[in-house]
């Protein structure tokens, strides 16, 4: 995903925000039309869609997006995320239980106690 952000300072700030997101595999500031590049991973298409539409698109500093969706990566086949979901507020500042699509299209943030797991229900 490529994002066009207002300024390079804002791109750097957003890079720091996305670096804390458990769905982020890669984040870098870049030059050209888009100044922030992200690679995200999710357990389902709807979880990825929820992240894009309800977290990234509403950000005031994001002016334009170029999104490419793909299937499972050829390499690496497995990415080990070490998560200890003890927080109630996501790394990007949202509260899952206050979101309309939580439990419908989204299983919650992996970094919170509200994450419902891959099957969509809390343990």
């Amino acid at each position: 995903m490529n994002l066009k952000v207002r300024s390079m300072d804002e791109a750097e700030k957003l890079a720091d925000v996305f670096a804390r997101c458990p769905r982020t595999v890669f984040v870098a500031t870049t030059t050209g039309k888009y100044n922030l590049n992200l690679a995200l991973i999710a357990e389902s298409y709807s979880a990825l869609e929820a992240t894009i539409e309800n977290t990234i698109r509403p950000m005031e500093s994001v002016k334009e997006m170029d999104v490419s969706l793909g299937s499972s990566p050829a390499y690496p086949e497995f990415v080990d995320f070490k998560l200890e979901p003890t927080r109630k507020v996501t790394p990007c500042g949202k509260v899952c239980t206050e979101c309309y699509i939580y439990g419908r299209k989204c299983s919650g943030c992996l970094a919170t106690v509200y994450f419902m797991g891959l099957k969509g229900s809390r343990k």
Side-chain angles (χ1 to χ4, degrees):
M1 170 184 316
N2 295 300
L3 303 176
K4 182 178 183 179
V5 181
R6 278 188 250 184
S7 68
M8 201 53 150
D9 284 345
E10 297 226 19
E12 292 285 345
K13 289 176 188 174
L14 276 182
D16 289 341
V17 169
F18 287 114
R20 295 188 304 267
C21 177
R23 296 195 191 286
T24 301
V25 175
F26 173 87
V27 61
T29 56
T30 57
T31 59
K33 181 177 179 179
Y34 299 99
N35 50 4
L36 190 61
N37 182 270
L38 299 170
L40 303 175
I41 194 167
E43 64 276 13
S44 67
Y45 176 80
S46 62
L48 187 57
E49 181 184 36
T51 301
I52 294 167
E53 296 301 325
N54 296 305
T55 302
I56 299 171
R57 194 175 298 278
M59 292 179 164
E60 285 185 32
S61 58
V62 175
K63 296 299 171 197
E64 193 174 323
M65 297 171 57
D66 178 43
V67 178
S68 297
L69 300 177
S71 61
S72 300
Y75 180 85
E77 292 180 28
F78 178 76
V79 178
D80 186 20
F81 290 98
K82 293 173 178 49
L83 299 172
E84 294 181 30
T86 57
R87 49 184 17 185
K88 293 187 177 187
V89 177
T90 67
C92 61
K94 296 193 177 247
V95 178
C96 294
T97 55
E98 295 175 3
C99 181
Y100 175 75
I101 64 169
Y102 175 65
R104 291 173 177 85
K105 284 187 167 187
C106 182
S107 295
C109 176
L110 292 84
T112 69
V113 296
Y114 303 118
F115 181 59
M116 291 187 253
L118 300 178
K119 301 287 185 196
S121 61
R122 277 194 235 162
K123 297 174 186 174

